[in-house]
Amino acid sequence: MDNDVSAGSATSTSTLGHLALGLTLLAFGVGHTGVIDNVAAADASALATWVGGVALFIVGLLEFRAGNAGTGTAFSGLGAFWFTWGTAVGAEVSTEAAGLFLLLWALLALTLTASSAGSGLFGQGVYGLLCVSLLLLGIASFAESGGLAKAGGWVGAVAGLAAWYGATAALAKWPTFSGRAAGRGVTATG
C-alpha cells in the first residue's frame, strides 16, 4: 500500500488558490465600496481569515511542493496578508499604522505583478489591480479619505472578479482573454 499523499495537480491547486483569492478580494473590495447597505470591509474578516488566509496559505504550500515557486510565493504571501488582516480587524490601531500596513502589503502585490510578467490578464492583471487597490486604500487611510477608500474598494472588487473568472474559466473551460479557451493547455492565469 502506498502511503504517499499527492499534493494534487498544479492546475487544481492553482485554480483553488485563484478561487480563494477571488472570493476574498471580492468581499474585501465590495465592503470598502459601501455599495451594499450595512456591509463593511470588516464584515469580510472571517472570510479573509479562513478562506483568504488559511486556505490560500495551504494552497501556496501545495504549490511549493508541486515545484511551482511563483504561485507558491503568491498564495502563501497573500494567505499571510489575509490572515493578518482578518485577525486584526477591530484592533485599536492608528490610521497611520493601518495605512502603513496596506502600503507594505502593496509592495508584495507589486512584486507579484512584476514576477508574473507574461502570464496574461489573470496573473499579472489580478496582482496589478490588487497592488493599486492596496495603494489607494493605504493612501486613503493616511488621508482619512472615504472617497479614495471607495475607489480602492472598487479596484479590489474588480481584481476579485478577475481572479474568480480566471479560476472558473479553468474549471468550466470557458474562454479566457488570451484568445483560447481554458482547459486546452491553458491555466487560470492565462
Side-chain angles (χ1 to χ4, degrees), residues 109-162:
L110 180 63
T111 299
L112 297 176
T113 304
S115 69
S116 62
S119 66
L121 176 68
F122 299 115
Q124 199 167 26
V126 168
Y127 299 138
L129 288 170
L130 173 60
C131 181
V132 171
S133 176
L134 293 173
L135 281 172
L136 289 171
L137 290 167
I139 293 167
S141 186
F142 280 114
E144 297 182 18
S145 170
L148 201 53
K150 283 184 181 188
W154 282 112
V155 174
V158 170
L161 282 173

Side-chain angles (χ1 to χ4, degrees), residues 25-173:
L25 259 173
L26 188 56
F28 176 77
V30 167
H32 275 94
T33 66
V35 73
I36 300 174
D37 288 336
N38 301 317
V39 174
D43 296 324
S45 64
L47 178 76
T49 301
W50 298 107
V51 176
V54 174
L56 198 55
F57 188 81
I58 291 170
V59 169
L61 295 179
L62 292 173
E63 286 289 305
F64 277 125
R65 181 174 180 206
N68 302 318
T71 51
T73 300
F75 293 157
S76 295
L78 291 171
F81 164 70
W82 288 119
F83 185 83
T84 304
W85 181 83
T87 57
V89 167
E92 293 293 324
V93 296
S94 68
T95 56
E96 291 80 9
L100 180 61
F101 173 82
L102 293 166
L103 292 178
L104 289 173
W105 285 100
L107 290 175
L108 171 67
L110 180 63
T111 299
L112 297 176
T113 304
S115 69
S116 62
S119 66
L121 176 68
F122 299 115
Q124 199 167 26
V126 168
Y127 299 138
L129 288 170
L130 173 60
C131 181
V132 171
S133 176
L134 293 173
L135 281 172
L136 289 171
L137 290 167
I139 293 167
S141 186
F142 280 114
E144 297 182 18
S145 170
L148 201 53
K150 283 184 181 188
W154 282 112
V155 174
V158 170
L161 282 173
W164 167 83
Y165 180 83
T168 302
L171 291 172
K173 297 178 180 36

